[in-house]
Amino acid sequence: MSTARLELLGGFAISGAGSAAAPLRISSKKAVALVAYLASDDFSFSFTYTVNGDGSRTSSMVAGSYSGTFTNGPRTGQTYFVDQIPPVTGIISEDGQTLIAAHTIPVVETHTYSNDDVWPAICDRSRVFIKLRGGDDDDHGGDQH
């Protein structure tokens, strides 16, 4: 069982392209080893997205763009790559200030580590993006969510 807290600072361009970079805090218990551990890592990935006339939004990770490095815990210094994450579908609030999104289909993600470990995983992610005061209102990528 894994839980993660994501603090995302990302940009969304009107063209439907964006990027995300964030620290990820993981608390994980591996059923195979029955050992709990805490770890932190920094990761980044790129994505594309579409916004429909009804306010719905779907984003997809750009293949090959997800990578990270562990900053503490048992994998400190190791890098890793994730082959895919499922699309994230959501709805934008009527006032355009909030986006709620989640995975709607499960996908097996392959996490490959620099020590040659390979772990398949099915992750369930949901997000709430809130426009912060003082943010850029021109929708050209300056917003912080």
Side-chain angles (χ1 to χ4, degrees):
M1 169 180 244
S2 293
T3 58
R5 179 169 177 247
L6 173 68
E7 299 167 5
L8 176 66
L9 297 177
F12 303 110
I14 236 167
S15 64
S19 63
L24 177 64
R25 306 292 179 237
I26 300 173
S27 173
S28 180
K29 184 172 188 175
K30 301 246 185 253
V32 175
L34 298 176
V35 175
Y37 72 91
L38 297 174
S40 298
D41 70 310
D42 292 326
F43 72 92
S44 65
F45 64 92
S46 297
F47 59 92
T48 59
Y49 68 94
T50 56
V51 177
N52 301 308
D54 64 357
S56 63
R57 176 188 177 275
T58 301
S59 65
S60 299
M61 183 189 96
V62 173
S65 70
Y66 195 118
S67 65
T69 302
F70 285 91
T71 57
N72 68 33
R75 291 187 180 271
T76 299
Q78 285 186 15
T79 59
Y80 71 97
F81 301 91
V82 178
D83 67 336
Q84 64 178 336
I85 58 175
V88 176
T89 301
I91 191 80
I92 300 169
S93 65
E94 198 168 296
D95 66 1
Q97 302 297 303
T98 306
L99 166 65
I100 298 173
H103 294 302
T104 58
I105 57 169
V107 170
V108 176
E109 306 170 10
T110 302
H111 298 235
T112 304
Y113 300 89
S114 57
N115 70 344
D116 294 327
D117 283 352
V118 177
W119 290 86
I122 297 175
C123 299
D124 180 50
R125 298 174 185 90
S126 61
R127 307 278 188 256
V128 175
F129 300 92
I130 302 169
K131 185 172 184 176
L132 300 176
R133 270 188 267 181
D136 178 2
D137 287 334
D138 65 8
D139 292 328
H140 296 307
D143 290 344
Q144 292 185 353
H145 297 267

